[in-house]
Amino acid sequence: MPYGSRLAATMTRRLGRECVYTPSARLALYLAFRRWCRPGGRVLMSPVTDDVILFVVLAAGLRPVLAPVSAWDGNIDPAAVPEATWRDVDAVLTSNLYGVPDRVVELRRRCSQLGIPLFEDAAHAIGSHVDGQPIGTFGRAAVFSLSKHVAGMAGGFLAVEDARTRRELELLRDDLLTPGRLSEDITTTLRPLARSAVRSLHLVRPVWRAMERLGLLERDAFRMPLHAPRLTASARQAPSLTAYEPWVRVDLHGYRSRHGALVRGQLKLRMARLDEDLTRRRAGVTLLAGTPWASPALRERTVHDGPLPLFRVPLLVDDRDALVQRLVRHDVVCGYLYDPPLDDYAGAEFVEPSPDPAAARWFAAHALPADPLLARRIVTAFTKERVADAHPSLLRPVPDAAPPRLLGP
């Protein structure tokens, strides 16, 4: 029986597509790139996404081509991508940022016209739909993360179109897995339990501050250190996960460790509660979408189509960085901040910059990802802090190549 086949079968029944179980979404994405893209290929993607995704693209020997985005949600704006760029890319990668769906119908249409694959990064988007169709079923392949919605701190899937492709990818995955250890499995199993205990006991602030003082956080900014000279040297070995290990493993050192029965058993239990989790998220999104800090686009969509089960709700606020610090007093820690955009973070040596970066810079500087499971606490905190909303129609210039903003709590 293939590794992780029972978990994969559960996801296959939910999604209606063949699924391969992987220790992480980042490994799943690397598998997709190696299966469908030749080294040297150019991948159109949003500059407002996790830097780990950038390093997975580079590890696969590919060139990131950064697209213009919508200032409402940070996802690719297909109409703003120059025609010359469309003709010169070899694949498109969505981000479905925070669970807000990309414009997948238009992206699929363009990819079909060009004969190139559409890959869906659905790590934030389990349960999100477009026109009644699940995110993760529009492209050639899609990646999902169990460390997000079910808070498993490990596990992912690669969804593909047919069983033959699934079997091919299972073999490629097995070649890339590293041996697991019981001690690692125990740690992986206990981490989500410890996180839940910290929140329920209202220990978020002291625990986070202690981790900062002890140097236990791998990032001291929203983006990890680039280490450009080392990154340049690694390119000579691409495609290679090993060469890019210092970057790809950040925040998840076991991203390609073979999980034992202990971890897989816990993930199965957590997946059984996924629908309950999605229901709670929809309720939180309904509350947050009705606040002044939600974008009008999200508010209108929630009214007309019902709430999406978002992983995070991107609230648009002024003075976002200072607010991140103040929210710790309310037991709210804001992660998943993708600022600055990847072109400002990495530069033209490692990415092809967006031809129109203004919207990405604005969104990255003003978006505060709010956990819908903490919606009432967040609304209370925002009200007490007298948070001012921001509006992208009033785009203010953001300095070129702005340095990464420090990530406090």
Side-chain angles (χ1 to χ4, degrees):
M1 183 179 293
Y3 166 71
S5 58
R6 291 181 179 176
L7 283 167
T10 300
M11 190 63 178
T12 294
R13 288 191 295 270
R14 170 176 289 277
L15 195 63
R17 275 201 169 187
E18 296 286 332
C19 291
V20 179
Y21 175 74
T22 58
S24 66
R26 59 191 75 176
L27 180 62
L29 185 59
Y30 183 80
L31 288 172
F33 288 147
R34 293 307 316 276
R35 171 63 175 76
W36 281 285
C37 297
R38 295 180 179 179
R42 295 160 54 80
V43 179
L44 185 71
M45 58 187 286
S46 168
V48 188
T49 189
D50 197 330
D51 39 30
V52 168
I53 301 302
L54 166 67
F55 297 120
V56 172
V57 175
L58 295 175
L62 305 174
R63 174 74 170 173
V65 178
L66 303 181
V69 303
S70 165
W72 291 120
D73 56 30
N75 287 327
I76 295 173
D77 181 357
V81 178
E83 287 300 319
T85 300
W86 280 119
R87 292 192 298 269
D88 201 30
V89 295
D90 302 289
V92 175
L93 173 65
T94 70
S95 57
N96 300 295
L97 191 60
Y98 303 129
V100 179
D102 267 88
R103 292 144 185 84
V104 285
V105 174
E106 175 62 13
L107 291 173
R108 181 174 60 181
R109 184 185 70 80
R110 295 304 301 257
C111 288
S112 295
Q113 289 176 340
L114 296 166
I116 61 176
L118 173 65
F119 300 124
E120 297 178 78
D121 181 351
H124 291 175
I126 290 181
S128 292
H129 290 70
V130 171
D131 296 336
Q133 182 173 339
I135 289 296
T137 62
F138 288 86
R140 186 74 54 83
V143 301
F144 292 88
S145 172
L146 293 180
S147 67
K148 304 297 189 298
H149 278 77
V150 301
M153 307 298 289
F157 297 103
L158 175 58
V160 296
E161 295 174 303
D162 58 79
R164 179 178 177 179
T165 303
R166 171 182 57 76
R167 289 191 292 270
E168 292 175 1
L169 287 161
E170 286 172 343
L171 295 174
L172 179 57
R173 172 205 62 191
D174 291 347
D175 287 341
L176 292 171
L177 292 177
T178 57
R181 294 183 297 179
L182 179 59
S183 60
E184 291 179 349
D185 279 4
I186 292 173
T187 300
T188 300
T189 303
L190 292 177
R191 282 180 66 194
L193 300 177
R195 173 176 287 187
S196 297
V198 165
R199 286 182 173 175
S200 63
L201 295 172
H202 302 287
L203 297 174
V204 170
R205 183 180 183 186
V207 169
W208 189 275
R209 296 301 189 198
M211 291 177 68
E212 280 187 311
R213 295 189 189 99
L214 294 172
L216 298 179
L217 302 176
E218 288 195 84
R219 301 171 187 257
D220 60 4
F222 297 159
R223 299 294 192 186
M224 71 177 82
L226 188 70
H227 299 302
R230 290 168 56 194
L231 196 59
T232 300
S234 296
R236 293 193 287 268
Q237 302 176 57
S240 168
L241 273 179
T242 302
Y244 285 83
E245 194 87 3
W247 297 273
V248 178
R249 74 196 293 262
V250 166
D251 299 329
L252 191 62
H253 289 200
Y255 78 97
R256 59 169 169 157
S257 296
R258 180 183 286 270
H259 294 145
L262 186 64
V263 173
R264 299 199 308 273
Q266 184 202 54
L267 292 176
K268 182 178 180 181
L269 292 173
R270 288 180 173 275
M271 283 194 71
R273 300 197 297 268
L274 177 57
D275 286 326
E276 177 186 342
D277 176 85
L278 297 179
T279 298
R280 293 170 59 211
R281 289 180 182 279
R282 290 187 184 96
V285 170
T286 299
L287 176 58
L288 291 171
T291 68
W293 312 289
S295 75
L298 177 62
R299 194 175 303 126
E300 181 179 354
R301 180 171 193 159
T302 302
V303 170
H304 287 90
D305 302 327
L308 290 166
L310 300 184
F311 173 60
R312 295 289 186 268
V313 178
L315 302 179
L316 303 176
V317 300
D318 272 337
D319 203 14
R320 194 273 318 279
D321 297 352
L323 178 60
V324 167
Q325 301 283 348
R326 300 201 308 272
L327 287 177
V328 182
R329 298 198 296 262
H330 303 274
D331 281 344
V332 176
V333 173
C334 297
Y336 305 99
L337 289 151
Y338 306 127
D339 187 21
L342 292 176
D343 29 13
D344 290 339
Y345 164 65
E349 179 181 357
F350 302 108
V351 304
E352 183 171 312
S354 168
D356 186 3
R361 288 172 176 163
W362 190 93
F363 181 85
H366 291 84
L368 189 145
D371 187 345
L373 301 181
L374 302 176
R376 294 190 182 281
R377 184 185 304 176
I378 289 169
V379 170
T380 299
F382 274 39
T383 302
K384 289 182 177 178
E385 296 290 343
R386 299 181 179 179
V387 175
D389 62 290
H391 198 286
S393 65
L394 303 175
L395 282 174
R396 292 183 291 276
V398 178
D400 287 344
R405 293 168 172 82
L406 292 182
L407 175 60

